[in-house]
Amino acid sequence: MTDDSDTIALSTQDLRAVTAFAAACAEGALGAFEDDRPGDTRPRDALAAAGEFARGGARGKALRDTATAALGAAKCAETEAGRQAAWAAMSAAAAAYLHPLARATQVKHILGAGAHAARAAELLADDDRSVGPRHLRQLARHATPLVVDVLTRVPAAPDGGGRVGELVRLLDTDLRTRLSRRSRA
């Protein structure tokens, strides 16, 4: 059981904003999966469900089921880029279920879709590690002030998680730095 110091306030509006951002991040990577598994719509379905929730739809079983299905699609992908793209879609749909916990692990729920999409972009560029950070800078431009506000309610991203974890931390640092610059201006 958590006490009040372990929780953060999260409204439905907050969850919709985070989910919209996550879906926007994952959208660009979808082609990596669809090139790998033509005809498998599970990641696209997860993004559609995330978008529907972000626009005011229900946060129910259908949304959760599409996230689970996208995870299953990742297991079927034949390329690592395809897997990362499916994980990005799964992360976008799962963002609607961000926990109101003041824990660093929650950062991946907010930024995981972007990190998986950036990793897919790196892999598509022959594992060029300079591609991911550039991709993340583009994605960061789409983060609304509300998304950044939600992000700052939890501690910074934790260590670990391999290359995707590194990309989560890069995006986390970028968004927090942008907020800091805005508040000083």
Side-chain angles (χ1 to χ4, degrees), residues 18-19 22 91-92 94-99 104-113 168:
V18 166
T19 303
S91 295
Y97 296 96
L98 173 66
H99 302 291
T105 53
Q106 295 306 299
V107 173
K108 190 167 182 187
H109 289 288
I110 301 168
L111 305 179
V168 166

Side-chain angles (χ1 to χ4, degrees), residues 57-132:
R59 189 179 82 148
K61 185 178 180 324
L63 178 59
R64 191 177 299 271
D65 287 350
T66 63
T68 301
L71 178 60
K75 292 175 183 177
C76 295
E78 295 184 24
T79 65
E80 185 61 24
R83 257 185 299 287
Q84 292 292 331
W87 282 330
M90 180 272 303
S91 295
Y97 296 96
L98 173 66
H99 302 291
L101 301 173
R103 296 194 183 135
T105 53
Q106 295 306 299
V107 173
K108 190 167 182 187
H109 289 288
I110 301 168
L111 305 179
H116 285 294
R119 183 65 183 134
E122 286 180 340
L123 291 164
L124 290 172
D126 295 323
D127 205 9
D128 181 344
R129 299 284 177 113
S130 69
V131 170

Side-chain angles (χ1 to χ4, degrees), residues 23-38:
C25 289
E27 183 69 37
L30 197 54
F33 178 81
E34 292 177 339
D35 288 346
D36 184 317
R37 305 251 329 145

